[in-house]
Amino acid sequence: GFTGMIWNRYSFEFIATSRLSRLTFQSLNTNRLNYGPRLDNVRVEFVPIISASFASSGLWVCNSDTATWAQITPSTPENIIYSGSTLYGDFGAIGLWKWDGAAWTQLTPSNPENMVVSGSTLYGDFGALGLWMWNGSSWSQLSGVNPENMVVSGSTLYGDFGAVGLW
């Protein structure tokens, strides 16, 4: 990963037979980078923890201080995103789950089409169910309209609602 000054190489040799399907870094900013045919997604967010989803080997976290990997679920998420030290995983038909570093908690059985975070707030696009906000303890519906895309900048959420416009 790029630290702003240098590139650091992370080794994935222990899973040479698995295809890396999603990789999440925690750091200060959220950026998506595409890297080669094996890596689908990199998100840069807050602390030195790396999370990687391997196509058939589940979801793993690596503490970059100790360079040790641990599998946190054998399931493969459709999408993952960090908010601080909390990892959110979209597991499709079994819903949206939160990993607090020790255990998984299901937030909803619904399958989000997209997720973004701002600070400790998670926003979920649940398709025909609309756009929802998770404040850490409960869900609030922000719109009954399905956004085509959404992004956060600072504490502001922007939604592209197609013909309805950008809000």
Side-chain angles (χ1 to χ4, degrees):
F2 188 66
T3 66
M5 302 272 303
I6 61 170
W7 284 95
N8 292 311
R9 182 173 181 218
Y10 296 97
S11 174
F12 299 108
E13 278 76 23
F14 77 100
I15 47 96
T17 59
S18 295
R19 184 175 91 70
L20 179 61
S21 64
R22 189 167 308 280
L23 177 66
T24 296
F25 291 90
Q26 288 179 290
S27 176
L28 186 57
N29 299 314
T30 300
N31 298 312
R32 288 188 179 195
L33 306 171
N34 289 324
Y35 178 78
R38 293 183 63 207
L39 183 61
D40 292 338
N41 193 348
V42 174
R43 291 179 189 242
V44 181
E45 294 174 15
F46 186 71
V47 291
I49 298 174
I50 301 170
S51 300
S53 172
F54 299 95
S56 61
S57 299
L59 183 59
W60 295 70
V61 293
C62 177
N63 182 320
S64 60
D65 292 333
T66 62
T68 57
W69 286 90
Q71 185 183 44
I72 59 175
T73 179
S75 299
T76 302
E78 293 179 355
N79 195 7
I80 53 178
I81 193 166
Y82 271 99
S83 175
S85 61
T86 302
L87 173 66
Y88 295 98
D90 165 13
F91 289 93
I94 62 171
L96 177 59
W97 293 72
K98 175 182 84 168
W99 172 256
D100 63 8
W104 286 100
T105 304
Q106 187 179 42
L107 300 181
T108 177
S110 298
N111 179 12
E113 292 180 354
N114 194 8
M115 301 180 294
V116 295
V117 293
S118 175
S120 61
T121 304
L122 171 70
Y123 298 97
D125 165 12
F126 290 95
L129 299 175
L131 178 60
W132 292 75
M133 177 182 74
W134 173 256
N135 66 9
S137 59
S138 63
W139 286 102
S140 300
Q141 188 174 35
L142 302 179
S143 173
V145 179
N146 179 14
E148 292 181 8
N149 203 359
M150 58 186 179
V151 65
V152 292
S153 178
S155 61
T156 304
L157 171 68
Y158 297 93
D160 171 6
F161 292 94
V164 179
L166 180 63
W167 294 78

